[in-house]
Amino acid sequence: MFSKYRPTWTVDALYHLDTEELAQQKIKGVLVDLDNTLIAWNNPDGTPELLAWIAAMKEAGIPVVVVSNNSAKRVDHAIAPFGLMYVSRAMKPFTRGLKKAQQKLNIPNENLVMVGDQLMTDIKAANSFGIRSILVKPLVESDAWNTKINRAREKVVKKNIFPTGITWERKLIND
Ligand SMILES: [Mg+2]
């Protein structure tokens, strides 16, 4: 019942995803959630680590697409400093946005990964769409009210999937 929320990997932060490890896993394109995964509300310009990660991904030739449930206006404004492609109104946990991103990249599902901070939206969408996924720690704890409701539900799911708690890795390590 809870397996649809299970991520392939748990990594503490987006910027710890190493281009060589991604290549080893045959990952050729990365779909990434916006809020609390790529950037935090209190640091909209991104951290130096994030900027370095984006540069490393570009150099490695691994495209990154932001897949967000937010409006085009909001996403366009938010990611302007980073020069990334995006899909807005993605409707996660449904697969619409992931499908759009997949078509944009024209990379097969087995070579894609979705990175996000929420099991109920990001990871569920990835599992429904049939791609691997990486759960990351939310960048900040304080959040929008609708996310808070999701997080309450998410607590129940988390307890079932990770009964002894989540081990946040710095690498792609399979359990
Ligand atoms: Mg998020």
Side-chain angles (χ1 to χ4, degrees), residues 130-145:
I131 64 174
R132 288 174 286 174
S133 60
I134 300 168
L135 181 73
V136 291
K137 245 189 211 171
L139 288 172
V140 289
E141 282 307 321
S142 50
D143 226 326
W145 64 269

Side-chain angles (χ1 to χ4, degrees), residues 32 63-67 75 79 82-87 101 104-105:
V32 61
V64 177
V65 184
V66 176
V67 180
V75 181
I79 66 164
F82 311 118
L84 297 174
M85 295 174 275
Y86 70 85
V87 173
K104 232 181 238 284
L105 294 175

Side-chain angles (χ1 to χ4, degrees), residues 10-162:
T10 50
V11 175
D12 63 348
L14 176 67
Y15 55 75
H16 280 137
L17 296 179
D18 180 75
T19 53
E20 278 182 26
E21 280 178 23
L22 293 172
Q24 276 167 16
Q25 294 292 340
K26 303 196 172 11
I27 290 166
K28 295 175 181 168
V30 174
L31 316 187
V32 61
D33 170 52
L34 176 64
D35 289 303
N36 250 341
T37 298
L38 190 81
I39 50 170
W41 64 272
N42 59 354
N43 189 359
D45 297 329
T47 56
E49 290 92 342
L50 173 69
L51 299 177
W53 181 79
I54 290 172
M57 294 293 284
K58 277 190 183 145
E59 201 177 304
I62 304 175
V64 177
V65 184
V66 176
V67 180
S68 172
N69 283 356
N70 264 294
S71 67
K73 194 177 163 198
R74 155 94 171 93
V75 181
D76 193 65
H77 178 76
I79 66 164
F82 311 118
L84 297 174
M85 295 174 275
Y86 70 85
V87 173
S88 57
R89 293 266 185 250
M91 294 176 66
K92 297 171 289 183
F94 302 106
T95 57
R96 176 180 177 263
L98 281 72
K99 175 89 187 147
K100 273 192 170 177
Q102 191 272 329
Q103 287 169 338
K104 232 181 238 284
L105 294 175
N106 196 23
I107 292 172
N109 280 15
E110 59 263 36
N111 301 118
L112 290 175
V113 72
M114 171 81 211
V115 188
D117 68 302
Q118 287 191 63
L119 296 174
M120 315 289 295
T121 53
D122 304 312
I123 305 305
K124 174 139 190 289
N127 285 333
S128 299
F129 191 50
I131 64 174
R132 288 174 286 174
S133 60
I134 300 168
L135 181 73
V136 291
K137 245 189 211 171
L139 288 172
V140 289
E141 282 307 321
S142 50
D143 226 326
W145 64 269
N146 54 344
T147 308
K148 275 187 181 157
I149 292 169
N150 268 341
R151 293 227 185 272
R153 292 166 57 214
E154 186 155 303
K155 260 192 181 172
V156 177
V157 175
K158 257 184 197 158
K159 269 214 166 140
N160 277 275
I161 299 182
F162 305 103

